[in-house]
Amino acid sequence: MRNWSDESRRSMAAEFAGPVYVDQALSCRRCDREFVFSAQRQKEIFEVRKAYIWQRPVLCPQCWPLRLQWVTELKSLRARWSSQRAVMKRDVEALWRWRRVLDELTACGLRRDKAQIAMLDKLLIRAAADSDDSGLTKSSA
């Protein structure tokens, strides 16, 4: 415990924690697969990285890289939105991808971004209405 962060040493965990880390069976928040939070990994996270002692992984080793990939893709989509908003409003495929990435990240434990989801839903509805209007125009011509 002497290697724990100051915050962890002041926590209630310090009162109840034993001197030895033990393997813990956890369940993935995204896929419900069981995985082991090993004693060795706990020691690394709590003593080397100085993470707060109550922190536990919520994703299995298979889902964690997917989460990182989705976070990277979300950043890319937001950057593209900042620089090419007018073009992206008409890119239905990108809007759907952005919407799916937000849903996947919510399943991974990130907070649901209601405002961004509402914006994307409105843009997708508008894009669908525009494509219907263009279809009517083409058929009437």
Side-chain angles (χ1 to χ4, degrees):
M1 284 183 5
R2 62 181 160 72
N3 292 329
W4 287 6
S5 69
D6 291 337
E7 189 176 359
S8 292
R9 275 188 262 137
R10 287 191 305 268
S11 72
M12 288 297 291
E15 300 291 323
F16 299 107
V20 179
Y21 295 110
V22 294
D23 291 352
Q24 296 176 359
L26 301 174
S27 180
C28 180
R29 179 177 276 177
R30 181 176 171 272
C31 67
D32 286 332
R33 222 180 331 219
E34 292 278 326
F35 67 99
V36 175
F37 186 35
S38 70
Q40 180 179 357
R41 184 85 174 126
Q42 291 172 45
K43 183 174 181 165
E44 175 192 335
I45 290 173
F46 302 139
E47 293 180 11
V48 176
R49 295 185 188 177
K50 303 293 185 191
Y52 186 61
I53 193 67
W54 286 111
Q55 287 180 324
R56 299 286 182 261
V58 294
L59 298 175
C60 67
Q62 292 79 18
C63 291
W64 180 250
L66 292 172
R67 179 191 182 275
L68 295 177
Q69 177 185 341
W70 290 321
V71 166
T72 301
E73 188 169 357
L74 180 61
K75 287 178 184 177
S76 171
L77 289 163
R78 286 177 174 167
R80 183 175 168 208
W81 176 259
S82 294
S83 64
Q84 303 173 355
R85 185 170 299 185
V87 173
M88 202 164 170
K89 282 182 179 181
R90 294 185 303 273
D91 188 349
V92 177
E93 186 177 318
L95 294 173
W96 272 115
R97 182 66 192 149
W98 192 352
R99 183 68 167 81
R100 283 191 293 271
V101 167
L102 288 172
D103 287 341
E104 290 292 349
L105 286 171
T106 301
C108 289
L110 268 68
R111 197 166 33 111
R112 187 171 188 80
D113 191 337
K114 294 177 186 178
Q116 204 166 81
I117 289 170
M119 176 197 75
L120 290 168
D121 288 345
K122 285 179 184 178
L123 289 170
L124 287 165
I125 289 168
R126 188 175 303 147
D130 289 347
S131 69
D132 288 345
D133 289 345
S134 66
L136 291 173
T137 306
K138 287 178 186 173
S139 63
S140 61

